[in-house]
Amino acid sequence: MESVSGLAGVSRETRGRLETYRDLLVKWQARINLVAPSTLEDAWVRHFADSAQLIAHAPDRVRLWLDVGSGAGFPGLVAGIMLMETHPDSQVCLIESDTRKCAFLQSVVAETGAPVKVIPMRVEKAEAAVAALGHTADVISARAVAPMPRLMEMIAPYWSQGCIGLFLKGRDVASELTEAAKYWTIRTSHIPSSTPGDGVILKLEELARVRPEHPH
Ligand SMILES: C[S@@+](CC[C@H](N)C(=O)[O-])C[C@H]1O[C@@H](n2cnc3c(N)ncnc32)[C@H](O)[C@@H]1O
């Protein structure tokens, strides 16, 4: 695992927590569909390293990292475990509408002790629950949840000055951003993903509405 980019150089404790997470993923996958079955064998790269690479792009201070549509916890729960080592004051919040996936996420949190709050709700309904955490988000992340115009509508209530977005996206991101720019002033940069494939990390540093809600 140490040789997998994004997971290189993690401590023995972090490695142990991620292995606990991977073992639980395999166990629960037999009962509920957490990830595409074809990706399970290569989960270290496809899910864990893909998520872990975001940590290198986190700001120095992360009080709250918000992950939307977390599914089986990628990238947010991996971030939560990695931040225990690099940003010990951080809290991660996972918003996921599927309650069975949330039960899995809770079991990983319980087994690893990660400072992660799971909110079993649709992101559109979770504003009060997130506000109760006491901090605005410094980082918002998502993978495979929605095209950018829709994703921007989902995250806008949680966005504040100084926040950054870190999104794992595929090859269609340029056309998604062209569409999004009709509705938002945005400032973005693309960082090639360090895991195989044609993915990118889309870093969002400005989000301000210029037209009413996208008609998704
Ligand atoms: C394709 S899965 C991706 C899961 C994970 N991010 C990953 O990359 O493995 C999309 C997830 O987003 C969740 N989701 C979709 N719309 C949502 C919403 N409005 N609020 C909260 N969760 C949502 C779904 O339940 C699902 O688990």
Side-chain angles (χ1 to χ4, degrees):
M1 173 188 125
E2 292 89 338
S3 61
V4 177
S5 179
L7 295 171
V10 300
S11 68
R12 182 196 297 245
E13 289 76 19
T14 300
R15 185 179 67 214
R17 291 184 186 111
L18 292 171
E19 286 173 351
T20 297
Y21 180 1
R22 194 264 317 266
D23 292 347
L24 286 166
L25 179 70
V26 171
K27 187 171 151 197
W28 280 63
Q29 178 78 15
R31 284 187 276 147
I32 63 173
N33 201 33
L34 289 166
V35 293
S38 61
T39 65
L40 200 57
E41 197 175 331
D42 205 15
W44 277 130
V45 174
R46 297 284 292 270
H47 302 299
F48 289 89
D50 199 37
S51 301
Q53 65 179 324
L54 296 188
I55 297 300
H57 306 286
D60 290 342
R61 182 149 192 232
V62 181
R63 285 157 304 184
L64 180 62
W65 177 309
L66 199 61
D67 187 63
V68 304
S70 305
F74 306 112
L77 186 45
V78 174
I81 291 171
M82 302 275 298
L83 289 170
M84 291 170 82
E85 187 176 330
T86 61
H87 295 65
D89 297 332
S90 300
Q91 183 179 22
V92 172
C93 172
L94 310 177
I95 307 177
E96 168 54 51
S97 57
D98 183 321
T99 52
R100 291 193 312 163
K101 289 178 182 173
C102 288
F104 166 72
L105 296 171
Q106 290 285 15
S107 80
V108 179
V109 171
E111 288 290 323
T112 60
V116 172
K117 167 95 176 160
V118 180
I119 298 185
M121 286 181 190
R122 289 184 62 79
V123 68
E124 294 85 349
K125 305 265 185 202
E127 272 184 75
V130 173
L133 299 175
H135 290 294
T136 55
D138 300 298
V139 178
I140 302 177
S141 62
R143 183 182 80 164
V145 177
M148 287 314 297
R150 171 91 186 99
L151 189 58
M152 286 171 180
E153 296 294 347
M154 294 165 90
I155 67 167
Y158 304 98
W159 188 271
S160 60
Q161 183 70 28
C163 183
I164 66 163
L166 293 173
F167 307 114
L168 291 159
K169 298 296 290 184
R171 71 175 78 177
D172 291 337
V173 73
S175 59
E176 291 179 19
L177 290 175
T178 301
E179 180 64 16
K182 297 176 185 170
Y183 299 88
W184 303 94
T185 298
I186 52 178
R187 183 156 51 94
T188 59
S189 49
H190 299 58
I191 302 150
S193 173
S194 62
T195 54
D198 53 8
V200 295
I201 300 167
L202 178 72
K203 185 172 183 181
L204 179 67
E205 291 178 279
E206 187 181 344
L207 180 68
R209 192 185 294 281
V210 290
R211 276 172 59 186
E213 188 164 343
H214 184 265
H216 46 265

